[in-house]
């Protein structure tokens, strides 16, 4: 019998990250395929299917696949209900399409759960009993893993850390609520905060880059300026760190985590937020719980969700095998 492996598929708006993981959880191979969202999910999975045999190699068998995708996912049915990155893929039975093109059992979860599970098993969350992962990007995602299992809630909506209210009268969030964490530390919020500061004082390096050199304002550019000690840019991340710390203080009091990971694209600026984040946490959370938590930048980078999706597939297969009804 050939060695069994698990395939992880992280579907983003532009690219699909693929990861092949061995039975012991080791990463064996990786690849990237274009999403081409307007061509639809069937086309995307057909292209993934074409890539898989060369990625896996003839000496191994894929036992199951895991798909991670931004948006609302019906985990039990393997269905993507809606996704901000893939608006035309609404109500799509991704597990059925994947099964048809890959020929294996497939689980589907949201990308924040997949990334968190990857960090929990193979990244900075290894060995944690209570693990919280926050993903910072255009949206702010989250996931909570307790005793080895993703906390899903009744309908897999649990873990929406980006939509925790941290201020009752705060700015309007895309979800319709006011004062969500995402409305303070999402990529758009960081750019808005920088532009507001720049309009007040124009001596800034960041201002010169944006106005004179016509560079596009982005969290990455703001971070670059902050690393060159630009005061306005540093203030953006100081304030974002304090907001992040407010959310984390509540998470620490509620879940008593041993590790909190900060992952996602904007996590590259984590070191710029760390000081104000910790100051706020010390002010607001129980000292006993703060004393045992490690807060770290995620270790798997952009591969986290693909690796985590493969590991979720492995967990699902093990549980099916343990189920006397045969799953
Ligand atoms: Zn919100």
């Amino acid at each position: 019998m050939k060695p069994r492996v698990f395939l992880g598929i992280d579907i983003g708006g532009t690219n699909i990250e693929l990861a092949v993981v061995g039975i012991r959880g080791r990463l064996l191979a990786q690849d990237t395929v274009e999403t081409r969202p307007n061509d639809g999910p069937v086309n995307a999975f057909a292209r993934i299917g074409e890539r898989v045999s060369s990625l896996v190699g003839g000496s191994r068998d894929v036992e199951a696949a895991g798909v991670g995708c931004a948006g609302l996912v019906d985990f039990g049915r393997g269905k993507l209900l809606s996704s901000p990155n893939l608006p035309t893929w609404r109500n799509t039975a991704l597990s059925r399409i994947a099964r048809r093109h890959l020929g294996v059992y497939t689980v589907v979860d949201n990308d924040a759960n997949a990334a968190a599970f990857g960090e929990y098993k193979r990244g900075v969350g290894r060995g944690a009993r209570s693990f919280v992962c926050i993903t910072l990007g255009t949206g702010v995602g989250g996931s909570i893993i307790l005793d080895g299992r993703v906390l899903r809630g009744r309908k897999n909506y649990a873990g929406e850390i980006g939509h925790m209210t941290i201020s009752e009268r705060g700015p309007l969030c895309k979800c319709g609520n006011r004062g969500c964490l995402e409305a303070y530390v999402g990529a758009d919020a960081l750019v808005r905060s920088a532009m507001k500061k720049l309009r007040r004082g124009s001596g800034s390096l960041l201002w010169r880059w944006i106005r004179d050199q016509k560079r596009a304002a982005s969290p990455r550019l703001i971070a670059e300026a902050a690393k060159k000690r630009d005061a306005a840019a540093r203030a953006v991340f100081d304030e974002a760190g304090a907001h992040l710390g407010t959310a984390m203080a509540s998470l620490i009091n509620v879940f008593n985590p041993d590790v909190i990971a900060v992952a996602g694209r904007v996590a590259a600026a984590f070191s710029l937020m760390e000081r104000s984040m910790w100051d706020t946490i010390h002010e607001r959370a129980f000292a006993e719980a703060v004393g045992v938590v490690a807060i770290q930048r995620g270790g798997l980078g952009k591969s986290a969700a693909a690796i985590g999706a493969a590991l979720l597939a492995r967990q699902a297969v093990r549980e099916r095998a343990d189920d006397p009804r045969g799953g």
Side-chain angles (χ1 to χ4, degrees):
M1 198 166 117
K2 293 178 187 174
R4 295 175 303 155
V5 295
F6 299 89
L7 177 67
I9 303 165
D10 169 25
I11 305 178
T14 311
N15 287 318
I16 297 170
E17 303 292 335
L18 303 176
V20 177
V21 164
I23 192 92
R24 293 187 196 288
R26 202 161 61 88
L27 176 65
L28 302 172
Q30 281 181 288
D31 204 350
T32 305
V33 181
E34 269 183 277
T35 309
R36 298 186 209 153
N38 296 331
D39 292 353
V42 171
N43 185 294
F45 276 95
R47 281 183 288 113
I48 294 167
E50 284 163 16
R51 198 66 69 87
V52 166
S53 54
S54 64
L55 186 64
V56 171
S59 60
R60 301 184 180 111
D61 266 335
V62 177
E63 168 137 22
V67 177
C69 193
L72 287 178
V73 171
D74 183 334
F75 180 74
R77 295 205 172 104
K79 210 167 166 184
L80 176 65
L81 301 176
S82 67
S83 171
N85 297 336
L86 307 160
T88 57
W89 293 26
R90 285 180 76 85
N91 290 320
T92 303
L94 288 185
S95 65
R96 213 177 52 215
I97 296 171
R99 196 186 182 114
R100 199 184 318 139
H101 288 277
L102 306 173
V104 293
Y105 171 71
T106 304
V107 295
V108 183
D109 207 333
N110 79 51
D111 60 344
N113 283 347
F117 203 65
E119 290 289 350
Y120 169 70
K121 285 285 186 187
R122 305 299 299 175
V124 296
R126 265 198 242 201
R129 279 191 61 189
S130 175
F131 176 61
V132 174
C133 186
I134 305 179
T135 44
L136 299 179
T138 307
V140 174
S143 182
I144 294 134
I145 295 175
L146 299 175
D147 297 322
R149 305 194 61 87
V150 175
L151 179 75
R152 301 191 179 282
R154 178 67 180 86
K155 283 277 201 179
N156 204 36
Y157 299 163
E160 288 290 352
I161 293 169
H163 302 283
M164 271 173 63
T165 302
I166 59 165
S167 169
E168 286 183 359
R169 293 181 220 290
L172 197 62
C173 179
K174 282 176 214 150
C175 74
N177 181 34
R178 283 195 175 275
C180 290
L181 178 64
E182 183 173 303
Y184 287 100
V185 304
D188 296 346
L190 295 177
V191 169
R192 230 179 5 251
S193 157
M195 297 314 282
K196 208 162 135 191
K197 288 178 184 22
L198 294 178
R199 276 192 289 271
R200 268 189 248 131
S202 54
S204 155
L205 172 66
L206 185 59
W207 184 242
R208 285 209 305 275
W209 284 351
I210 293 169
R211 192 195 52 185
D212 302 339
Q213 299 177 17
K214 306 278 180 251
R215 294 173 73 176
S218 67
R220 184 194 275 189
L221 191 75
I222 305 166
E224 208 181 310
K227 282 175 185 156
K228 291 188 188 293
R229 309 209 149 268
D230 181 78
R234 289 183 83 94
V236 170
F237 286 110
D238 275 342
E239 287 168 19
H243 295 308
L244 194 58
T246 299
M248 282 182 179
S250 293
L251 293 166
I252 288 168
N253 284 353
V254 174
F255 294 108
N256 185 198
D258 17 31
V259 181
I260 299 178
V262 179
R265 189 163 48 87
V266 179
F270 178 62
S271 63
L272 296 164
M273 296 186 267
E274 244 183 314
R275 209 185 59 187
S276 59
M277 178 195 85
W278 275 113
D279 286 349
T280 311
I281 289 170
H282 284 294
E283 266 170 45
R284 291 179 180 268
F286 293 129
E288 294 77 5
V290 174
V292 298
V293 68
I295 304 180
Q296 286 171 288
R297 185 178 165 192
L300 302 179
K302 71 181 175 98
S303 310
I307 294 171
L311 294 166
L312 282 168
R314 184 181 69 153
Q315 186 183 57
V317 165
R318 285 180 175 172
E319 282 172 2
R320 269 160 48 110
D322 289 344
D323 184 343
R325 292 164 302 179

